[in-house]
Amino acid sequence: MAAKALRAAEHVCVLTGSGVSAESGIPTFREAQTGLWAQFSPQELATPEAFAANPKRVWQWYAARRAMVRAAAPNPAHAALVTLASRVAHCTLITQNVDDLHERAGSRDVVRLHGSLMHVRCSAGCPGAIQPTDEQHGDVPPCPSCGALLRPDVVWFGEPLPMTPFEAARNAAVACDVFLSVGTSNVVEPAASLPWTSATHGATVIVVNPTMDGQRTGPSILPIEGPAGVMLPRLIAEAFAGRRPRRQSESN
């Protein structure tokens, strides 16, 4: 039934969560708090107040996390979503993750709800984002425009989601035929509301997750229990068997 819905869809909206990144070996925020970092609470590492109090500590924590991401590789779930985008007329990929594995797999125009771990921005609000170099892992570098400290380009605890990507995500959730929720528990708001908003607007919601604990149920919600790297390639292969790409794969 899920494969049939995907095959018939003109617009598919995809939301990915930490479960997709975990299958590439990227630890969640709390799982990354090991060794030196185990002594610190999230409030000491990922809040505006933490950065104001000890910017070097926060900067080095995020530099360590960037190194973990650079050592990881996209998994079959990331690749399957690139294939999906080439098979449907319109595909909107939304992620709660802050790594760059979707882009490295070949996805384009990813809607990032929580920002990017791989970029930094001016803490004083200068526009634009910068990709830090490997050498910038010790002291906090200054903004090249104004001299204020650079900070990770992510949404910290206590900060609102940036409205532009969230509005794009919500608009896609309302407009799509199929909403595909992958590797997320769908309990952390406001992203958690997106699949259920989509369902109320008539879309079929497909939930791919190792467990369905906490997920909603209903006639238009189709659960697929299991790891994304196994279940997504299987679902997409079944849905589009015999169908040629509607456009060239983004990875080419």
Side-chain angles (χ1 to χ4, degrees):
M1 193 170 178
K4 183 178 179 182
L6 263 187
R7 188 176 179 87
E10 286 293 308
H11 183 177
V12 177
C13 186
V14 184
L15 173 67
T16 62
S18 60
V20 176
S21 295
E23 292 183 36
S24 286
I26 296 177
T28 65
F29 183 95
R30 292 187 185 280
E31 289 170 343
Q33 288 179 257
T34 58
L36 168 67
W37 304 107
Q39 62 184 302
F40 299 111
S41 70
Q43 286 69 34
E44 295 174 292
L45 297 171
T47 64
E49 294 77 15
F51 187 72
N54 196 326
K56 185 173 182 178
R57 176 199 293 161
V58 173
W59 180 266
Q60 291 180 341
W61 156 246
Y62 280 91
R65 291 182 67 200
R66 278 197 298 273
M68 292 181 194
V69 171
R70 288 181 178 135
N75 64 59
H78 296 102
L81 291 175
V82 176
T83 300
L84 173 63
S86 73
R87 296 298 193 273
V88 297
H90 187 56
C91 183
T92 303
L93 176 54
I94 306 160
T95 189
Q96 300 173 82
N97 300 330
V98 294
D99 57 67
D100 62 349
L101 295 187
H102 281 305
E103 289 87 349
R104 283 161 58 190
S107 292
R108 298 290 180 266
D109 301 320
V110 179
V111 178
R112 298 192 152 277
L113 296 181
H114 296 157
S116 170
L117 178 66
M118 313 312 290
H119 292 86
V120 297
R121 58 184 170 87
C122 175
S123 61
C126 290
I130 302 166
Q131 192 165 5
T133 66
D134 290 339
E135 291 76 27
Q136 293 174 320
H137 62 271
D139 293 329
V140 189
C143 170
S145 297
C146 74
L149 296 179
L150 293 176
R151 55 158 284 178
D153 189 21
V154 299
V155 178
W156 278 330
F157 294 111
E159 292 184 325
L161 293 188
M163 287 308 300
T164 297
F166 185 73
E167 286 176 359
R170 193 182 186 285
N171 289 341
V174 169
C176 70
D177 309 301
V178 171
F179 192 105
L180 184 56
S181 170
V182 189
T184 174
S185 60
N186 288 319
V187 295
V188 179
E189 294 292 357
S193 66
L194 291 172
W196 321 132
T197 295
S198 196
T200 62
H201 283 81
T204 298
V205 176
I206 303 170
V207 179
V208 180
N209 207 49
T211 173
M212 293 298 141
D213 292 348
Q215 302 283 357
R216 296 192 189 183
T217 59
S220 64
I221 300 171
L222 309 178
I224 300 178
E225 196 163 333
V230 173
M231 308 312 291
L232 259 189
R234 186 181 300 171
L235 171 64
I236 292 168
E238 180 183 351
F240 301 105
R243 177 184 286 184
R244 300 182 65 178
R246 298 182 69 148
R247 59 183 180 275
Q248 189 178 24
S249 171
E250 297 283 10
S251 60
N252 292 340

